[in-house]
Amino acid sequence: MEIRLNGKVREVAEGITVRRLLDDLGLHPMRVAVQRNLDIIKRDRYDEVVLQPGDTVEILTVMAGG
Amino acid sequence: MRNQATLKFGGKEFHSRLIVGTGKYPDSPTMQKALEASGAEIVTVAVRRVNLDRTQESLLDYIDLKRYTLLPNTAGCYTADEAIKYARLAREVGMSEMVKLEVIGDQRTLFPDNEELLKATRILVKEGFIVLPYTNDDPIMARKLEDAGAAAVMPLGAPIGSGLGIRNPQNILIILETVRLPVIVDAGVGTASDAAIAMELGCDGVLMNTGIAGAKDPVMMADAMRKAIEAGRQAYLAGRIPKKSYATASTTMEGMIE
């Protein structure tokens, strides 16, 4: 199924959880924040939140800045 | 006189009065060495999309979280709503309850939009954030931010990255008399004397990024800034002589031969 991830269309597995998506992307859950359709998903829900087709997902982390 | 031995906000205590940014360094190893040389305990970071296209090095590979406290900023935000969103995301990354709250009013000067800043401060304070607002040198604004529950006030010395130093020391002095919060000059520091001047005025700390990262030798400059902050602070605590228009001799006239 298709979702929008960090501004780009992406093909992901049906029924994928946030946790699984992070694993597939090689991202550590402790170092990111996840927003789905304008809602922040809390870390303790990464295993239960299942992405839907057309979801807009943003994965953020800390980057260099002043 | 602001003679507290340490910098305190949000229930935490810091010995270094220099807060340093992680942006704009020529490379990550230089950044890491500069942070070390600066003696900083708090470093600012931004919150941005993860780069998915390739496995690139993470900023966190170069920052020892046991050593540094992260201060996420809301850089690039032009409205209260945007800044609030980024503050919440920053907190969710899990590194800090502190936020350097920036709500920018103009792209060229990067001056704060104080109206939106105050709005965002009130909301974030209610949500339990430790808010450090980047503002201008308006003492009335500083008082409003204190009343809104900010944990510190961070007036700019000059525009971000301008290196112009403390453009309005008189206003900074008035802010120091107006609020009881820690006052941290944030933005505009270009060289060591600028940092020393801020501390000599009585400020509780200085936040800088470009002044170090953009220097020809960032590591050496970071060390210079550390010394300047210490010297300025010590000069303030030592109590300087007053400024006078005319001379007062250091040597007595007594005992001179005819």
Side-chain angles (χ1 to χ4, degrees):
Chain A
M1 65 175 190
E2 260 181 22
I3 61 168
R4 200 168 176 76
L5 178 60
N6 284 8
K8 294 204 179 100
V9 170
R10 194 183 190 96
E11 190 66 41
V12 297
E14 289 274 344
I16 194 170
T17 61
V18 169
R19 178 63 202 250
R20 185 58 200 270
L21 177 63
L22 292 174
D23 286 344
D24 288 350
L25 294 167
L27 295 171
H28 198 305
M30 288 300 287
R31 289 183 166 194
V32 298
V34 178
Q35 181 178 279
R36 179 185 69 165
N37 299 334
L38 306 179
D39 294 319
I40 295 176
I41 308 293
K42 295 243 165 232
R43 190 165 291 114
D44 57 17
R45 297 194 61 225
Y46 285 176
D47 283 317
E48 27 172 296
V49 172
V50 175
L51 300 179
Q52 305 297 320
D55 272 351
T56 298
V57 179
E58 299 279 3
I59 304 177
L60 299 97
T61 188
V62 296
M63 300 279 233
Chain B
M1 172 166 265
R2 285 168 175 255
N3 54 4
Q4 283 199 307
T6 55
L7 189 55
K8 283 184 192 158
F9 34 70
K12 284 185 136 192
E13 205 170 346
F14 302 95
H15 296 274
S16 167
R17 293 174 180 277
L18 175 54
I19 301 176
V20 180
T22 54
K24 302 204 287 193
Y25 288 86
D27 53 72
S28 298
T30 302
M31 179 204 73
Q32 188 176 47
K33 291 196 203 90
L35 293 182
E36 230 177 271
S38 74
E41 291 165 285
I42 304 169
V43 301
T44 67
V45 293
V47 177
R48 293 287 182 265
R49 280 173 172 165
V50 162
N51 189 321
L52 301 170
D53 292 338
R54 51 190 170 92
T55 322
Q56 61 168 180
E57 56 180 30
S58 161
L59 178 73
L60 295 173
D61 293 337
Y62 292 90
I63 297 180
D64 180 357
L65 294 177
K66 288 193 231 72
R67 176 177 185 162
Y68 298 107
T69 297
L70 294 189
L71 176 60
N73 67 26
T74 62
C77 294
Y78 284 75
T79 64
D81 286 342
E82 221 181 343
I84 290 164
K85 177 169 70 174
Y86 273 86
R88 289 174 181 154
L89 286 164
R91 184 158 72 173
E92 194 53 35
V93 181
M95 310 281 174
S96 192
E97 293 278 305
M98 300 205 295
V99 60
K100 174 181 156 175
L101 185 59
E102 297 179 47
V103 188
I104 303 302
D106 170 68
Q107 196 176 31
R108 213 167 42 118
T109 60
L110 298 181
F111 282 154
D113 179 332
N114 279 329
E115 191 179 349
E116 291 290 292
L117 177 71
L118 191 56
K119 191 166 131 192
T121 298
R122 289 183 177 129
I123 290 168
L124 291 173
V125 164
K126 277 207 196 76
E127 292 183 13
F129 284 88
I130 297 161
V131 180
L132 280 62
Y134 153 76
T135 182
N136 63 354
D137 52 17
D138 173 6
I140 308 300
M141 191 62 211
R143 189 174 64 204
K144 288 188 178 191
L145 289 166
E146 181 175 49
D147 291 344
V153 167
M154 307 216 292
L156 60 88
I160 293 170
S162 69
L164 291 171
I166 314 302
R167 299 309 285 169
N168 197 341
Q170 264 61 45
N171 273 35
I172 303 289
L173 274 172
I174 294 172
I175 290 175
L176 286 162
E177 290 169 7
T178 304
V179 302
R180 273 174 299 204
L181 296 176
V183 176
I184 296 167
V185 163
D186 172 17
V189 168
T191 191
S193 51
D194 298 332
I197 285 169
M199 297 308 291
E200 286 164 20
L201 290 170
C203 290
D204 299 276
V206 178
L207 197 161
M208 67 178 78
N209 191 153
T210 310
I212 292 176
K216 287 202 183 70
D217 185 338
V219 179
M220 191 187 285
M221 184 59 89
D223 185 47
M225 292 295 185
R226 182 182 55 82
K227 289 169 170 153
I229 301 262
E230 283 171 16
R233 178 66 178 168
Q234 205 169 352
Y236 169 72
L237 292 173
R240 62 158 297 151
I241 56 169
K243 294 187 184 184
K244 290 180 179 164
S245 299
Y246 300 98
T248 315
S250 306
T251 310
T252 179
M253 297 290 281
E254 246 189 80
M256 296 195 72
I257 60 172
E258 276 150 43

PDB file of all heavy atoms in Angstrom, chain B residues 142-169:
ATOM      1  N   ALA B 142      10.406  41.098  28.140  1.00  0.00           N
ATOM      2  CA  ALA B 142      11.068  40.186  29.075  1.00  0.00           C
ATOM      3  C   ALA B 142      10.173  39.947  30.285  1.00  0.00           C
ATOM      4  O   ALA B 142      10.017  38.814  30.756  1.00  0.00           O
ATOM      5  CB  ALA B 142      12.410  40.775  29.513  1.00  0.00           C
ATOM      6  N   ARG B 143       9.557  41.017  30.784  1.00  0.00           N
ATOM      7  CA  ARG B 143       8.671  40.882  31.928  1.00  0.00           C
ATOM      8  C   ARG B 143       7.452  40.035  31.586  1.00  0.00           C
ATOM      9  O   ARG B 143       7.027  39.195  32.377  1.00  0.00           O
ATOM     10  CB  ARG B 143       8.229  42.258  32.425  1.00  0.00           C
ATOM     11  CG  ARG B 143       7.487  42.210  33.755  1.00  0.00           C
ATOM     12  CD  ARG B 143       7.187  43.580  34.277  1.00  0.00           C
ATOM     13  NE  ARG B 143       6.286  44.317  33.395  1.00  0.00           N
ATOM     14  CZ  ARG B 143       6.208  45.641  33.330  1.00  0.00           C
ATOM     15  NH1 ARG B 143       6.994  46.390  34.073  1.00  0.00           N
ATOM     16  NH2 ARG B 143       5.379  46.222  32.509  1.00  0.00           N
ATOM     17  N   LYS B 144       6.915  40.232  30.396  1.00  0.00           N
ATOM     18  CA  LYS B 144       5.744  39.444  29.981  1.00  0.00           C
ATOM     19  C   LYS B 144       6.098  37.967  29.866  1.00  0.00           C
ATOM     20  O   LYS B 144       5.307  37.094  30.229  1.00  0.00           O
ATOM     21  CB  LYS B 144       5.207  39.948  28.639  1.00  0.00           C
ATOM     22  CG  LYS B 144       4.526  41.290  28.753  1.00  0.00           C
ATOM     23  CD  LYS B 144       3.827  41.681  27.458  1.00  0.00           C
ATOM     24  CE  LYS B 144       3.124  43.019  27.657  1.00  0.00           C
ATOM     25  NZ  LYS B 144       2.225  43.339  26.555  1.00  0.00           N
ATOM     26  N   LEU B 145       7.295  37.687  29.369  1.00  0.00           N
ATOM     27  CA  LEU B 145       7.717  36.289  29.246  1.00  0.00           C
ATOM     28  C   LEU B 145       7.902  35.666  30.626  1.00  0.00           C
ATOM     29  O   LEU B 145       7.557  34.502  30.848  1.00  0.00           O
ATOM     30  CB  LEU B 145       9.024  36.197  28.436  1.00  0.00           C
ATOM     31  CG  LEU B 145       8.869  36.487  26.939  1.00  0.00           C
ATOM     32  CD1 LEU B 145      10.228  36.713  26.291  1.00  0.00           C
ATOM     33  CD2 LEU B 145       8.152  35.333  26.236  1.00  0.00           C
ATOM     34  N   GLU B 146       8.412  36.457  31.566  1.00  0.00           N
ATOM     35  CA  GLU B 146       8.566  35.951  32.934  1.00  0.00           C
ATOM     36  C   GLU B 146       7.192  35.649  33.523  1.00  0.00           C
ATOM     37  O   GLU B 146       6.966  34.593  34.111  1.00  0.00           O
ATOM     38  CB  GLU B 146       9.300  36.967  33.805  1.00  0.00           C
ATOM     39  CG  GLU B 146       9.514  36.482  35.227  1.00  0.00           C
ATOM     40  CD  GLU B 146      10.351  37.453  36.053  1.00  0.00           C
ATOM     41  OE1 GLU B 146      10.044  38.658  36.049  1.00  0.00           O
ATOM     42  OE2 GLU B 146      11.305  36.977  36.706  1.00  0.00           O
ATOM     43  N   ASP B 147       6.264  36.588  33.350  1.00  0.00           N
ATOM     44  CA  ASP B 147       4.909  36.393  33.868  1.00  0.00           C
ATOM     45  C   ASP B 147       4.236  35.183  33.226  1.00  0.00           C
ATOM     46  O   ASP B 147       3.399  34.529  33.837  1.00  0.00           O
ATOM     47  CB  ASP B 147       4.046  37.641  33.623  1.00  0.00           C
ATOM     48  CG  ASP B 147       4.486  38.830  34.470  1.00  0.00           C
ATOM     49  OD1 ASP B 147       5.232  38.611  35.448  1.00  0.00           O
ATOM     50  OD2 ASP B 147       4.103  39.965  34.136  1.00  0.00           O
ATOM     51  N   ALA B 148       4.608  34.900  31.980  1.00  0.00           N
ATOM     52  CA  ALA B 148       4.005  33.770  31.263  1.00  0.00           C
ATOM     53  C   ALA B 148       4.586  32.435  31.717  1.00  0.00           C
ATOM     54  O   ALA B 148       4.113  31.379  31.302  1.00  0.00           O
ATOM     55  CB  ALA B 148       4.211  33.940  29.763  1.00  0.00           C
ATOM     56  N   GLY B 149       5.635  32.477  32.534  1.00  0.00           N
ATOM     57  CA  GLY B 149       6.184  31.239  33.069  1.00  0.00           C
ATOM     58  C   GLY B 149       7.451  30.737  32.401  1.00  0.00           C
ATOM     59  O   GLY B 149       7.869  29.592  32.620  1.00  0.00           O
ATOM     60  N   ALA B 150       8.080  31.566  31.586  1.00  0.00           N
ATOM     61  CA  ALA B 150       9.342  31.145  30.962  1.00  0.00           C
ATOM     62  C   ALA B 150      10.374  30.831  32.036  1.00  0.00           C
ATOM     63  O   ALA B 150      10.326  31.385  33.135  1.00  0.00           O
ATOM     64  CB  ALA B 150       9.863  32.268  30.062  1.00  0.00           C
ATOM     65  N   ALA B 151      11.312  29.956  31.728  1.00  0.00           N
ATOM     66  CA  ALA B 151      12.334  29.559  32.694  1.00  0.00           C
ATOM     67  C   ALA B 151      13.563  30.449  32.626  1.00  0.00           C
ATOM     68  O   ALA B 151      14.430  30.394  33.490  1.00  0.00           O
ATOM     69  CB  ALA B 151      12.726  28.108  32.448  1.00  0.00           C
ATOM     70  N   ALA B 152      13.641  31.243  31.574  1.00  0.00           N
ATOM     71  CA  ALA B 152      14.756  32.174  31.396  1.00  0.00           C
ATOM     72  C   ALA B 152      14.301  33.173  30.344  1.00  0.00           C
ATOM     73  O   ALA B 152      13.243  33.010  29.732  1.00  0.00           O
ATOM     74  CB  ALA B 152      16.014  31.452  30.910  1.00  0.00           C
ATOM     75  N   VAL B 153      15.082  34.215  30.161  1.00  0.00           N
ATOM     76  CA  VAL B 153      14.814  35.160  29.075  1.00  0.00           C
ATOM     77  C   VAL B 153      16.088  35.234  28.245  1.00  0.00           C
ATOM     78  O   VAL B 153      17.184  35.350  28.811  1.00  0.00           O
ATOM     79  CB  VAL B 153      14.444  36.555  29.636  1.00  0.00           C
ATOM     80  CG1 VAL B 153      14.476  37.599  28.550  1.00  0.00           C
ATOM     81  CG2 VAL B 153      13.070  36.513  30.267  1.00  0.00           C
ATOM     82  N   MET B 154      15.957  35.156  26.928  1.00  0.00           N
ATOM     83  CA  MET B 154      17.142  35.113  26.086  1.00  0.00           C
ATOM     84  C   MET B 154      17.096  36.247  25.059  1.00  0.00           C
ATOM     85  O   MET B 154      16.699  36.040  23.907  1.00  0.00           O
ATOM     86  CB  MET B 154      17.256  33.755  25.408  1.00  0.00           C
ATOM     87  CG  MET B 154      17.191  32.599  26.412  1.00  0.00           C
ATOM     88  SD  MET B 154      18.248  31.211  25.988  1.00  0.00           S
ATOM     89  CE  MET B 154      17.423  30.622  24.525  1.00  0.00           C
ATOM     90  N   PRO B 155      17.516  37.444  25.461  1.00  0.00           N
ATOM     91  CA  PRO B 155      17.504  38.566  24.518  1.00  0.00           C
ATOM     92  C   PRO B 155      18.663  38.464  23.526  1.00  0.00           C
ATOM     93  O   PRO B 155      19.759  38.032  23.880  1.00  0.00           O
ATOM     94  CB  PRO B 155      17.720  39.788  25.434  1.00  0.00           C
ATOM     95  CG  PRO B 155      18.445  39.250  26.621  1.00  0.00           C
ATOM     96  CD  PRO B 155      18.005  37.830  26.786  1.00  0.00           C
ATOM     97  N   LEU B 156      18.395  38.854  22.290  1.00  0.00           N
ATOM     98  CA  LEU B 156      19.464  38.830  21.293  1.00  0.00           C
ATOM     99  C   LEU B 156      20.421  39.990  21.523  1.00  0.00           C
ATOM    100  O   LEU B 156      20.028  41.044  22.000  1.00  0.00           O
ATOM    101  CB  LEU B 156      18.872  38.865  19.889  1.00  0.00           C
ATOM    102  CG  LEU B 156      17.996  40.055  19.483  1.00  0.00           C
ATOM    103  CD1 LEU B 156      18.810  41.206  18.903  1.00  0.00           C
ATOM    104  CD2 LEU B 156      16.970  39.607  18.442  1.00  0.00           C
ATOM    105  N   GLY B 157      21.706  39.764  21.228  1.00  0.00           N
ATOM    106  CA  GLY B 157      22.673  40.854  21.305  1.00  0.00           C
ATOM    107  C   GLY B 157      22.649  41.619  19.994  1.00  0.00           C
ATOM    108  O   GLY B 157      22.825  42.826  19.937  1.00  0.00           O
ATOM    109  N   ALA B 158      22.453  40.863  18.897  1.00  0.00           N
ATOM    110  CA  ALA B 158      22.414  41.385  17.536  1.00  0.00           C
ATOM    111  C   ALA B 158      21.806  40.255  16.687  1.00  0.00           C
ATOM    112  O   ALA B 158      21.629  39.145  17.205  1.00  0.00           O
ATOM    113  CB  ALA B 158      23.828  41.715  17.066  1.00  0.00           C
ATOM    114  N   PRO B 159      21.492  40.516  15.409  1.00  0.00           N
ATOM    115  CA  PRO B 159      20.869  39.437  14.631  1.00  0.00           C
ATOM    116  C   PRO B 159      21.683  38.146  14.614  1.00  0.00           C
ATOM    117  O   PRO B 159      22.914  38.167  14.656  1.00  0.00           O
ATOM    118  CB  PRO B 159      20.762  40.041  13.224  1.00  0.00           C
ATOM    119  CG  PRO B 159      20.639  41.502  13.456  1.00  0.00           C
ATOM    120  CD  PRO B 159      21.512  41.795  14.660  1.00  0.00           C
ATOM    121  N   ILE B 160      20.966  37.031  14.551  1.00  0.00           N
ATOM    122  CA  ILE B 160      21.583  35.707  14.497  1.00  0.00           C
ATOM    123  C   ILE B 160      22.659  35.671  13.417  1.00  0.00           C
ATOM    124  O   ILE B 160      22.421  36.050  12.275  1.00  0.00           O
ATOM    125  CB  ILE B 160      20.500  34.640  14.190  1.00  0.00           C
ATOM    126  CG1 ILE B 160      19.518  34.536  15.365  1.00  0.00           C
ATOM    127  CG2 ILE B 160      21.127  33.282  13.908  1.00  0.00           C
ATOM    128  CD1 ILE B 160      18.288  33.678  15.052  1.00  0.00           C
ATOM    129  N   GLY B 161      23.838  35.216  13.787  1.00  0.00           N
ATOM    130  CA  GLY B 161      24.913  35.058  12.811  1.00  0.00           C
ATOM    131  C   GLY B 161      25.568  36.348  12.349  1.00  0.00           C
ATOM    132  O   GLY B 161      26.450  36.312  11.488  1.00  0.00           O
ATOM    133  N   SER B 162      25.164  37.487  12.912  1.00  0.00           N
ATOM    134  CA  SER B 162      25.697  38.765  12.420  1.00  0.00           C
ATOM    135  C   SER B 162      27.067  39.095  12.996  1.00  0.00           C
ATOM    136  O   SER B 162      27.807  39.909  12.434  1.00  0.00           O
ATOM    137  CB  SER B 162      24.722  39.908  12.742  1.00  0.00           C
ATOM    138  OG  SER B 162      24.692  40.135  14.150  1.00  0.00           O
ATOM    139  N   GLY B 163      27.382  38.530  14.152  1.00  0.00           N
ATOM    140  CA  GLY B 163      28.672  38.816  14.783  1.00  0.00           C
ATOM    141  C   GLY B 163      28.839  40.255  15.233  1.00  0.00           C
ATOM    142  O   GLY B 163      29.965  40.710  15.440  1.00  0.00           O
ATOM    143  N   LEU B 164      27.735  40.984  15.392  1.00  0.00           N
ATOM    144  CA  LEU B 164      27.841  42.401  15.746  1.00  0.00           C
ATOM    145  C   LEU B 164      27.973  42.645  17.245  1.00  0.00           C
ATOM    146  O   LEU B 164      28.141  43.782  17.677  1.00  0.00           O
ATOM    147  CB  LEU B 164      26.614  43.171  15.220  1.00  0.00           C
ATOM    148  CG  LEU B 164      26.542  43.303  13.701  1.00  0.00           C
ATOM    149  CD1 LEU B 164      25.189  43.882  13.274  1.00  0.00           C
ATOM    150  CD2 LEU B 164      27.660  44.205  13.182  1.00  0.00           C
ATOM    151  N   GLY B 165      27.881  41.626  18.048  1.00  0.00           N
ATOM    152  CA  GLY B 165      28.065  41.779  19.488  1.00  0.00           C
ATOM    153  C   GLY B 165      26.829  42.326  20.188  1.00  0.00           C
ATOM    154  O   GLY B 165      25.717  42.237  19.679  1.00  0.00           O
ATOM    155  N   ILE B 166      27.037  42.924  21.362  1.00  0.00           N
ATOM    156  CA  ILE B 166      25.919  43.410  22.176  1.00  0.00           C
ATOM    157  C   ILE B 166      25.584  44.829  21.720  1.00  0.00           C
ATOM    158  O   ILE B 166      26.269  45.785  22.098  1.00  0.00           O
ATOM    159  CB  ILE B 166      26.286  43.401  23.677  1.00  0.00           C
ATOM    160  CG1 ILE B 166      26.968  42.095  24.073  1.00  0.00           C
ATOM    161  CG2 ILE B 166      25.062  43.675  24.534  1.00  0.00           C
ATOM    162  CD1 ILE B 166      26.169  40.849  23.817  1.00  0.00           C
ATOM    163  N   ARG B 167      24.554  44.958  20.884  1.00  0.00           N
ATOM    164  CA  ARG B 167      24.261  46.256  20.285  1.00  0.00           C
ATOM    165  C   ARG B 167      23.622  47.234  21.254  1.00  0.00           C
ATOM    166  O   ARG B 167      23.747  48.423  21.103  1.00  0.00           O
ATOM    167  CB  ARG B 167      23.324  46.102  19.072  1.00  0.00           C
ATOM    168  CG  ARG B 167      23.895  45.276  17.963  1.00  0.00           C
ATOM    169  CD  ARG B 167      25.257  45.711  17.535  1.00  0.00           C
ATOM    170  NE  ARG B 167      25.222  46.933  16.743  1.00  0.00           N
ATOM    171  CZ  ARG B 167      26.296  47.642  16.417  1.00  0.00           C
ATOM    172  NH1 ARG B 167      27.482  47.260  16.835  1.00  0.00           N
ATOM    173  NH2 ARG B 167      26.178  48.719  15.682  1.00  0.00           N
ATOM    174  N   ASN B 168      22.903  46.734  22.252  1.00  0.00           N
ATOM    175  CA  ASN B 168      22.218  47.634  23.168  1.00  0.00           C
ATOM    176  C   ASN B 168      22.430  47.207  24.613  1.00  0.00           C
ATOM    177  O   ASN B 168      21.519  46.691  25.253  1.00  0.00           O
ATOM    178  CB  ASN B 168      20.724  47.680  22.827  1.00  0.00           C
ATOM    179  CG  ASN B 168      20.037  48.880  23.447  1.00  0.00           C
ATOM    180  OD1 ASN B 168      20.550  49.473  24.400  1.00  0.00           O
ATOM    181  ND2 ASN B 168      18.888  49.234  22.919  1.00  0.00           N
ATOM    182  N   PRO B 169      23.644  47.422  25.137  1.00  0.00           N
ATOM    183  CA  PRO B 169      23.936  46.973  26.499  1.00  0.00           C
ATOM    184  C   PRO B 169      23.038  47.630  27.547  1.00  0.00           C
ATOM    185  O   PRO B 169      22.715  47.017  28.554  1.00  0.00           O
ATOM    186  CB  PRO B 169      25.399  47.368  26.706  1.00  0.00           C
ATOM    187  CG  PRO B 169      25.722  48.323  25.621  1.00  0.00           C
ATOM    188  CD  PRO B 169      24.809  48.035  24.492  1.00  0.00           C
TER     189      PRO B 169
END
